[in-house]
């Protein structure tokens, strides 16, 4: 549509909630600051594109950013603790907890798991490991 082409001309780096969710799920967003920067980009893009033409939409996007920022700040300690405990396993891009129990479980699985047979890919039925209490 014409509106979309106009948007793409004005906004160099589009951002929306669905894209942010995908980035979080794909572990491209690794800390609260990165997350807030992406949400803030939604507001900045809205303000850039709509300006004074749709003040209600610009206001709503700012309120969205402020609400999410407030929620993230309220949970900052919890998020930072989780971030320190976790890292990204680059082989399958899933969070893995840094602790001795987790390392032993991973070692047992790799010791008991046969290698891939010729011509077949290794199965990925194992569920991602999250934080353990």
């Amino acid at each position: 549509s014409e509106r979309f082409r106009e948007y793409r001309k004005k906004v160099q780096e589009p951002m929306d909630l669905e894209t942010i969710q995908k980035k979080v799920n794909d572990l491209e967003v690794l800390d609260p600051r990165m997350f807030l920067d992406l949400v803030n980009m939604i507001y900045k893009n809205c303000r850039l594109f709509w300006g004074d033409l749709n003040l209600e939409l610009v206001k709503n996007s700012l309120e969205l950013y402020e609400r999410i920022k407030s929620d993230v700040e309220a949970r900052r300690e919890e998020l930072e603790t989780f971030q320190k405990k976790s890292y990204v396993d680059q082989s399958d891009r899933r969070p893995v907890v840094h602790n001795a129990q987790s390392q032993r479980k991973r070692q047992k699985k790799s010791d008991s798991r046969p290698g891939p047979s010729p011509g077949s890919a290794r199965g990925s039925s194992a569920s991602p490991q999250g934080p353990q209490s």
Side-chain angles (χ1 to χ4, degrees):
S1 85
E2 182 60 33
R3 181 69 74 183
F4 180 73
R5 282 190 291 277
E6 188 180 326
Y7 182 83
R8 293 296 297 187
K9 285 179 185 176
K10 281 187 175 183
V11 176
Q12 299 301 311
E13 192 173 355
M15 188 54 56
D16 58 78
L17 292 174
E18 188 174 320
T19 301
I20 294 172
Q21 181 178 16
K22 182 178 179 348
K23 287 179 176 288
V24 168
N25 291 342
D26 292 347
L27 301 175
E28 294 176 34
V29 177
L30 300 175
D31 63 58
R33 183 78 250 153
M34 289 172 71
F35 178 76
L36 286 175
D37 288 346
L38 292 173
V39 175
N40 190 37
M41 191 182 304
I42 294 173
Y43 162 67
K44 287 179 178 181
N45 290 345
C46 184
R47 189 180 67 202
L48 174 68
F49 183 71
W50 289 105
D52 293 337
L53 297 176
N54 192 333
L55 292 176
E56 187 68 24
L57 188 59
V58 173
K59 178 183 166 215
N60 289 343
S61 67
L62 177 59
E63 288 174 358
L64 171 72
Y65 170 73
E66 293 296 334
R67 169 77 188 270
I68 291 173
K69 181 179 175 188
S70 174
D71 289 349
V72 166
E73 287 174 355
R75 298 183 64 193
R76 184 168 297 279
E77 186 175 316
E78 176 187 347
L79 294 168
E80 287 173 354
T81 299
F82 177 77
Q83 182 184 353
K84 287 176 187 176
K85 286 183 185 178
S86 303
Y87 68 94
V88 176
D89 179 342
Q90 293 300 320
S91 64
D92 59 7
R93 296 183 55 82
R94 62 185 172 146
V96 180
V97 177
H98 265 301
N99 65 33
Q101 181 182 11
S102 175
Q103 293 293 354
R104 284 192 300 274
K105 283 182 181 178
R106 286 171 30 129
Q107 185 61 41
K108 277 185 182 179
K109 283 182 182 179
S110 66
D111 289 346
S112 64
R113 187 182 305 158
S117 60
S120 71
R122 187 177 193 175
S124 60
S125 61
S127 61
Q129 299 205 356
Q132 297 180 2
S133 340

